[in-house]
Amino acid sequence: LGAPGGTDELRDNEGVFGEMQSQQQQPVVKVSVNDGPAAEPRPLTASEYLAAEVYPTLESGIEELLKLSFPIDSEGTERRGQFPGGKPLVWLAQYLRDRNQKNAGERGGRMQQAALDLSGREAESEKECNGNLVSATRTLFWPCAAYVAKRRVRKVEVPKPPAEPLAEGEEAPEAPAAPEGEEAEPAAPAVEILEVEELVYIATSHQDKTSIEGWVLQVREKGVSSRVIDSKQPLLLADAKTDPELHFFTKPVTSAGSFACVPLFTADGSIYGTLTLDTFLDGRALQGEDLETLRLLGAAADAARCLVAADEVEEAPVEKAEGATNVEESA
């Protein structure tokens, strides 16, 4: 519990290849609400968690138990009598359970609002906006992995398909004649330009950013992100491994857990990219309300991103088909 990001093994493998499962639930994480770039959220230590979430309720419960066990009479004298609430430890357990249920909703509401504030925080760059978004998502849904991918269209030069055979009696068109005295140049191979739609991963909650950022998904070849892009609607796979189209980087998903993806939008309502969340770290199932919360986080980030200039991205040159597939599948 005291390790900054969980166990060393869990921290080092967070979100990689979707094969890590952990039954260890991580404690609540901290949210920075100060101005400036969002710090990477980190789980509380055991002592911090107890001090923030357990001791205040436990201490008040023990105080109430002692008052019942040693009541003060009208003369101000402490009396020792039989505890009126049955077995003291059972009474204390009931006290803690009732207040935990009562406070859980309030605590969850505070955490959600803090995450929304972080996701929608005013930023100086597109990169900072996306960093705030994945930090807020990780904070609210930990243990999890969160990613932001940006849509782009890459142009690829491919040979044209061979012409259909001529019908009987039909003549092929003549090639233009070369100027007098010059040799005719060989005809250039017929090519056409195809547009390849991709998602480029530009932000991640993973502590090793280089292990995720820069990966590219060709959304029309494999994966389920195309469903989100086409419909402009959120997608939830509560049991992710049951969908054969879902691929997590280079491999099909075999881990227990959920996959959620929501669209991100530009100011004019077109698709900016996607926000993806998975729970392959601990295998828990996400619910419909979790998907709605994820959508709200994305919407808050969209509003903040619209206030800053887009980061300059070098336009990909037209590529020949032979070298155009150096990508890995994801989502």
Side-chain angles (χ1 to χ4, degrees), residues 250-274:
T250 58
K251 300 182 180 181
V253 171
T254 58
S255 304
S258 295
F259 172 92
C261 184
V262 299
L264 302 175
F265 297 97
T266 61
D268 63 4
S270 59
I271 290 290
Y272 169 86
T274 58

Side-chain angles (χ1 to χ4, degrees), residues 294-305:
L294 195 66
R295 187 194 66 78
L296 292 175
L297 290 174
D302 288 342
R305 196 186 314 106

Side-chain angles (χ1 to χ4, degrees), residues 131-285:
N132 288 344
L133 175 56
V134 293
S135 294
T137 303
R138 183 181 188 271
T139 294
L140 199 56
F141 289 100
W142 177 258
C144 69
Y147 315 95
V148 170
K150 187 173 182 178
R151 179 183 177 273
R152 77 176 182 192
V153 176
R154 181 166 54 83
K155 296 180 179 180
V156 180
E157 183 182 282
V158 298
K160 280 188 176 180
E164 295 182 1
L166 298 174
E168 185 177 353
E170 185 178 0
E171 295 183 359
E174 294 184 3
E180 188 176 350
E182 297 182 11
E183 294 184 3
E185 296 183 0
V191 297
E192 60 181 348
I193 304 299
L194 297 182
E195 292 187 341
V196 179
E197 189 175 10
E198 298 176 334
L199 286 173
V200 183
Y201 286 80
I202 57 175
T204 175
S205 63
H206 198 285
Q207 293 184 356
D208 180 9
K209 307 297 183 186
T210 59
S211 66
I212 306 296
E213 295 176 7
W215 285 67
V216 177
L217 163 66
Q218 291 186 351
V219 295
R220 301 300 168 184
E221 290 190 4
K222 188 174 289 185
V224 299
S225 294
S226 59
R227 303 179 197 171
V228 176
I229 292 174
D230 293 341
S231 68
K232 294 187 176 182
Q233 295 296 321
L235 171 69
L236 173 62
L237 303 178
D239 186 1
K241 66 179 182 296
T242 62
D243 193 318
E245 294 186 15
L246 178 65
H247 276 65
F248 194 83
F249 292 89
T250 58
K251 300 182 180 181
V253 171
T254 58
S255 304
S258 295
F259 172 92
C261 184
V262 299
L264 302 175
F265 297 97
T266 61
D268 63 4
S270 59
I271 290 290
Y272 169 86
T274 58
L275 168 62
T276 300
L277 167 71
D278 71 67
T279 58
F280 301 145
L281 279 171
D282 67 342
R284 76 185 184 280

